[in-house]
Amino acid sequence: MSEKTIFQKIIDREIPAPLVYEDDLVAAFHDIAPQAPIHVLIVPKKLIPRVGEATLEDQATLGALLLAAGKIAEKLGVKDRSTEGFRLVINHGKNAGETVPHLHVHLLAGRPLDWPPG
Ligand code: 5GP
């Protein structure tokens, strides 16, 4: 069996990291190298290496990631669309800058975010 990803170790509580959110399908914690005042990683408990490798079987998990994002944004006070707001990012592969092969949604907030991204 291949070695657990760093995110799997956090989910399995082998590496301590306070969870911002958790339900049956996903867990979320702060990024170790935040790119904005709020930078949370939302991760499926099931290992899906990257979004393009998800299957129909993963449909509920994919939905759970986005539903968690809204709940986390509300919890952290950045859901209000007129005063705050947030961005979700999923990196797939080399050109997108993926570094951890365990699907994760970045939730970035707390400052104006440029568009287009770099
Ligand atoms: P990617 O580049 O794969 O989309 O994003 C991986 C993210 O995981 C990066 O933003 C990186 O800072 C974060 N990261 C890498 N190792 C750890 C870790 O051990 N703990 C936490 N909380 N975040 C990590």
Side-chain angles (χ1 to χ4, degrees), residues 36-76:
I38 293 174
H39 187 171
V40 171
L41 300 171
I42 312 168
V43 182
K45 290 184 174 177
K46 173 191 170 184
L47 173 60
I48 301 166
R50 53 196 60 79
V51 67
E53 287 163 36
T55 68
L56 199 52
E57 195 178 282
D58 301 318
Q59 202 164 14
T61 300
L62 297 178
L65 290 168
L66 296 186
L67 290 173
K71 291 178 192 165
I72 293 163
E74 180 149 45
K75 183 176 176 181
L76 299 181

Side-chain angles (χ1 to χ4, degrees), residues 51 89-99 104 106 118:
V51 67
V89 173
I90 300 175
N91 294 321
H92 175 118
K94 180 171 172 280
N95 276 357
E98 176 203 314
T99 57
H104 47 284
H106 296 257

